[in-house]
Amino acid sequence: MSATVEIANDIALIRMDDNKANAINFEMIAALNAALDTAEAEAKAIVLTGREGRFSGGFDLNAFASLGPDGVYKLLDAGAELLLRLYGGPLPVVAACTGHAIAMGVFILHACDTRIGTAGDYKIGANEAITGMNLPIFAMELARDRLHPSHLTRAMVQGFIYTPEGAVEAGYLDMLAPANEVEAKALAVAGQLAQLPAPAYAWNKKAIRKATLDRIRASLGAHHKV
């Protein structure tokens, strides 16, 4: 499996690990959705992490190359649905960003409630401007919601790639921890969030993000209009 889930002390630890870049393809999305099914049924908070040195390199470009336009749009929509599930879902979600996070990798960070990064020589950012891709609506809406406004143009229009320290300043991450402590720190934060009254957390999370969730949801299946 490209993503696995373990539950301990009411915390679901979901780990992306495809032995490569943790590319987001149909297989990874299906594995993450299955892990989220388990988490929502059995846990009170979620930690989403990657493999050593990599959180996620973004969408699977090999899949993009082989799927054809229709398949690409289906993969983008499946990715957007995953982001909606994380961003609007009932449980607290803490990201343990274990290294590089590029393109869809940072959009997943945007969709997590608290983001803890690994200090070190890692690249974090949306490189669509560099690779010549138009930003999907879900990417723009999440960035508008989570990035500091002064970094929006630099990060999204100009494709600037940040260090972990810069990513905290920009709003991709909330804090850093040493590589050997990032997962433990994320589990500790998730443990604190799990103690908050669950119905209020779920309601407030959905309510405060409703406009963003609605705009992303309205964009699904509408690629031919863009």
Side-chain angles (χ1 to χ4, degrees):
M1 291 290 282
S2 47
T4 56
V5 59
E6 301 165 38
I7 296 183
N9 304 316
D10 292 326
I11 309 299
L13 176 63
I14 299 175
R15 190 184 307 282
M16 297 183 285
D17 188 353
D18 64 2
N19 288 315
K20 293 175 285 204
N22 284 345
I24 305 301
N25 49 32
F26 286 119
E27 183 195 358
M28 179 68 87
I29 290 169
L32 286 170
N33 275 315
L36 287 169
D37 288 343
T38 301
E40 288 174 7
E42 301 176 26
K44 293 181 179 174
I46 295 167
V47 170
L48 178 60
T49 189
R51 57 197 299 266
E52 189 177 343
R54 289 198 180 267
F55 184 68
S56 172
F59 276 114
D60 186 339
L61 298 182
N62 292 330
F64 275 175
S66 63
L67 283 170
D70 222 38
V72 168
Y73 290 143
K74 284 192 173 77
L75 181 53
L76 286 169
D77 276 355
E81 294 272 15
L82 175 68
L83 296 173
L84 286 168
R85 185 170 187 184
L86 291 166
Y87 204 50
L91 297 184
V93 184
V94 179
C97 182
T98 45
H100 299 297
I102 299 293
M104 182 63 173
V106 293
F107 308 145
I108 292 172
L109 289 178
H110 285 329
C112 296
D113 301 347
T114 302
R115 294 82 44 89
I116 303 166
T118 302
D121 188 18
Y122 297 116
K123 295 180 168 67
I124 296 175
N127 65 348
E128 280 75 4
I130 301 164
T131 56
M133 290 176 69
N134 293 350
L135 289 164
I137 285 170
F138 62 77
M140 292 187 275
E141 292 300 335
L142 286 171
R144 212 190 313 276
D145 216 20
R146 301 307 300 272
L147 288 179
H148 295 308
S150 61
H151 281 267
L152 204 51
T153 295
R154 192 179 196 202
M156 302 304 288
V157 180
Q158 298 170 350
F160 187 80
I161 305 298
Y162 294 82
T163 63
E165 291 76 12
V168 173
E169 188 186 316
Y172 282 121
L173 297 170
D174 296 301
M175 64 190 89
L176 299 181
N180 61 345
E181 295 173 24
V182 69
E183 194 174 296
K185 175 80 171 166
L187 287 165
V189 170
Q192 293 168 342
L193 294 174
Q195 293 172 40
L196 294 171
Y201 193 97
W203 193 93
N204 291 335
K205 179 173 164 177
K206 203 166 206 169
I208 207 159
R209 296 174 174 174
K210 185 180 185 303
T212 301
L213 292 164
D214 286 350
R215 283 195 293 267
I216 294 171
R217 206 165 276 120
S219 76
L220 298 180
H223 301 282
H224 60 281
K225 301 176 196 165
V226 173

